[in-house]
């Protein structure tokens, strides 16, 4: 997969006038996939119910942007998220009533499995970074079985980089999905060789993990803000107020240098393309987007973009 995520933060994002331009720009990097992230929310981490809010992409807009992506020559992965309000970490979701939560979760995820099937999405994620509940193998096997009754395409689960070894249901899925936010350095650096060395033991561990589970590994997310020190904490939006475009580009280059052509690696879906107009909390010059930065040129060079 040569992919880039285009997330949504509001009901109408995927209907934005910018949508067509974003998809064309993503395709111009040499990307062949785009990921969309409809999101439901639960008020507290202990709740058993998740609901749509004004921040949930509408079904109509999601169907429409899948069609537009296909028209632009992009394959689609739909990767539904369950989040907490504000800065809450979805990994902290630990419902008091787990059985009730999983009943609600199956309702949520099969809704999008049906939509993915109807829209012709080429791949689907059954969950993302739900470390507080992802250790329940039996419940997740039932989730996967239920999704397969609604959707026939390849399935993955997007585990955080510090979660994937605790997942017990990889054999039920087609791909091991990892959100690859490993810290690679203890100080700011744009030294690609140093970053490649940092990836080496991680790569060896992943290769062995892939062999043990007889599944290829997809980086369902990977990304770096263009901030000073981004490789010290790739998962953070707010490392610095100093720009770090060269560091971001070096991190992109090191990841692609390390993993491209590894037979057990299924590719990467970068987090993320531009925020929608007027919705970004982080200025574009400091954000995860590679658009208009040296990191975009790295993608064009490595992926054969126009």
């Amino acid at each position: 997969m040569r992919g880039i995520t285009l997330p949504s933060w509001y009901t109408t994002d995927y209907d934005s006038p910018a949508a067509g331009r974003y998809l064309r720009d993503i395709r111009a990097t040499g990307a062949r996939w785009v990921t969309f992230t409809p999101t439901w929310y639960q008020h507290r981490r202990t709740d058993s119910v998740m609901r749509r809010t004004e921040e949930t992409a509408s079904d109509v807009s999601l169907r429409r942007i899948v069609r537009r992506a296909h028209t632009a020559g992009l394959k689609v992965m739909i990767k539904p998220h369950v989040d907490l309000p504000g800065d809450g970490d979805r990994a902290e979701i630990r419902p008091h009533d787990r059985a009730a939560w999983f009943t609600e979760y199956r309702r949520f995820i099969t809704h999008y499995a049906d939509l993915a099937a109807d829209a012709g999405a080429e791949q689907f994620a059954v969950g993302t970074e739900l470390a507080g509940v992802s250790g329940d193998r039996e419940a997740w096997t039932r989730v996967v079985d239920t999704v397969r009754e609604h959707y026939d395409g390849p399935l993955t689960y997007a585990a955080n980089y510090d979660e994937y070894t605790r997942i017990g249901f990889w054999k039920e899925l087609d791909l091991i999905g990892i959100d690859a936010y490993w810290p690679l350095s203890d100080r700011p650096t744009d030294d690609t060789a140093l970053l490649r060395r940092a990836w080496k033991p991680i790569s060896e561990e992943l290769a062995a993990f892939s062999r043990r589970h007889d599944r290829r590994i997809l980086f369902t997310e990977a990304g770096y803000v263009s901030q000073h020190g981004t490789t010290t904490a790739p998962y953070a939006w707010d490392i610095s107020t100093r720009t770090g475009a060269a560091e971001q580009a070096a991190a992109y280059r090191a990841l692609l240098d390390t993993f491209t052509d590894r037979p057990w690696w299924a590719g990467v879906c970068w987090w993320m393309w531009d925020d929608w107009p007027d919705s970004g909390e982080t200025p574009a010059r400091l954000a995860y987007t590679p658009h208009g930065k040296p990191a975009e040129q790295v993608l064009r060079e490595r992926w054969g973009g126009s």
Side-chain angles (χ1 to χ4, degrees):
M1 178 185 284
R2 296 184 301 192
I4 297 176
T5 302
L6 186 58
S8 64
W9 313 117
Y10 295 103
T11 300
T12 58
D13 276 346
Y14 288 148
D15 272 332
S16 168
R21 182 177 76 253
Y22 284 2
L23 293 171
R24 289 191 297 273
D25 289 346
I26 287 171
R27 183 66 173 79
T29 67
R32 295 296 178 267
W33 286 78
V34 62
T35 293
F36 301 124
T37 61
T39 304
W40 288 17
Y41 295 82
Q42 55 185 77
H43 291 305
R44 294 174 295 273
R45 63 187 185 90
T46 55
D47 286 352
S48 301
V49 177
M50 65 280 312
R51 297 183 176 87
R52 300 170 185 268
T53 73
E54 64 181 8
E55 298 177 353
T56 303
S58 72
D59 288 353
V60 170
S61 70
L62 183 56
R63 291 174 186 275
R64 185 175 292 119
I65 203 164
V66 171
R67 289 197 300 271
R68 297 182 77 167
H70 286 155
T71 299
L74 293 162
K75 295 181 179 181
V76 170
M77 178 163 70
I78 293 180
K79 182 167 162 283
H81 289 187
V82 173
D83 273 343
L84 296 168
D87 295 328
D89 183 353
R90 69 179 73 97
E92 297 177 357
I93 291 174
R94 288 173 174 79
H96 285 320
D97 187 339
R98 285 201 170 206
W101 187 90
F102 274 105
T103 296
E104 289 297 307
Y105 190 84
R106 287 195 302 275
R107 179 178 69 88
F108 155 76
I109 202 67
T110 54
H111 171 78
Y112 287 110
D114 284 335
L115 192 153
D118 291 345
E122 286 82 1
Q123 194 157 280
F124 189 77
V126 301
T128 297
E129 295 178 358
L130 291 166
V133 292
S134 63
D136 192 331
R137 182 181 185 279
E138 183 178 348
W140 279 98
T141 297
R142 188 175 176 193
V143 168
V144 175
D145 288 345
T146 302
V147 169
R148 288 203 188 277
E149 294 173 1
H150 294 253
Y151 177 80
D152 293 332
L155 299 180
T156 189
Y157 170 86
N160 202 32
Y161 76 97
D162 58 358
E163 175 195 6
Y164 77 95
T165 59
R166 302 192 299 275
I167 301 297
F169 53 96
W170 289 128
K171 291 291 179 69
E172 314 303 322
L173 298 165
D174 302 293
L175 290 164
I176 294 168
I178 302 177
D179 290 355
Y181 294 111
W182 279 275
L184 300 175
S185 59
D186 57 8
R187 58 182 175 79
T189 182
D190 59 7
D191 185 336
T192 301
L194 184 152
L195 297 174
R196 285 198 301 263
R197 289 195 296 273
W199 272 121
K200 188 174 187 298
I202 299 169
S203 174
E204 292 170 352
E205 175 185 320
L206 293 177
F209 193 82
S210 173
R211 287 193 300 271
R212 285 198 302 275
H213 292 272
D214 192 28
R215 294 289 184 276
R216 298 177 78 202
I217 292 175
L218 171 68
F219 286 174
T220 36
E221 290 181 24
Y224 304 89
V225 290
S226 50
Q227 296 175 24
H228 186 66
T230 185
T231 56
T232 67
Y235 45 78
W237 295 73
D238 54 355
I239 301 163
S240 174
T241 57
R242 291 175 56 188
T243 58
E247 295 175 46
Q248 182 191 45
Y252 269 62
R253 191 176 294 110
L255 187 151
L256 293 172
D257 285 352
T258 300
F259 295 102
T260 299
D261 297 329
R262 300 291 176 95
W264 52 265
W265 191 61
V268 59
C269 195
W270 294 100
W271 185 275
M272 50 171 261
W273 202 244
D274 283 350
D275 265 319
W276 301 98
D278 303 321
S279 71
E281 296 180 4
T282 305
R285 66 186 180 85
L286 298 171
Y288 275 99
T289 178
H291 192 195
K293 303 172 186 176
E296 181 178 2
Q297 188 57 37
V298 172
L299 292 182
R300 288 172 176 262
E301 290 169 359
R302 303 303 170 88
W303 285 355
S306 57

